[in-house]
Amino acid sequence: MRASYDTYQKVAEHCSAYEPTTGRSSVSNSYSEPAVSCTTCRHFDPEKYCRLDLYDKIVKNHELG
Ligand code: SF4
């Protein structure tokens, strides 16, 4: 699988199931806000695949990567 950090970001932006691993804290600290990316999604496995199996579909549908 060709996957760059950039691709993870684009996929997550198109993904309706994206859920950030770190809940938004009430403390205003936008500096540490994680970027929208598969790598910060709770469905993303440490083995670097999407447990919902959406990654490949989104790449294909949007011709990303
Ligand atoms: S890991 Fe899966 S569910 Fe999460 S943003 Fe990427 S494609 Fe979507």
Side-chain angles (χ1 to χ4, degrees):
M1 182 196 299
R2 280 177 304 156
S4 67
Y5 186 73
D6 196 47
T7 308
Y8 287 138
Q9 270 191 340
K10 286 182 191 152
V11 169
E13 279 165 12
H14 288 95
C15 181
S16 53
Y18 172 75
E19 263 187 67
T21 48
T22 50
R24 283 176 197 273
S25 100
S26 53
V27 180
S28 110
N29 188 1
S30 55
Y31 180 72
S32 63
E33 192 94 341
V36 174
S37 166
C38 288
T39 58
T40 59
C41 175
R42 68 172 70 237
H43 301 299
F44 196 63
D45 192 89
E47 297 297 319
K48 300 205 188 307
Y49 68 90
C50 172
R51 289 196 207 101
L52 304 185
D53 210 15
L54 293 171
Y55 181 90
D56 288 335
K57 284 178 201 149
I58 294 170
V59 168
K60 215 179 249 178
N61 287 349
H62 297 279
E63 294 179 10
L64 305 171

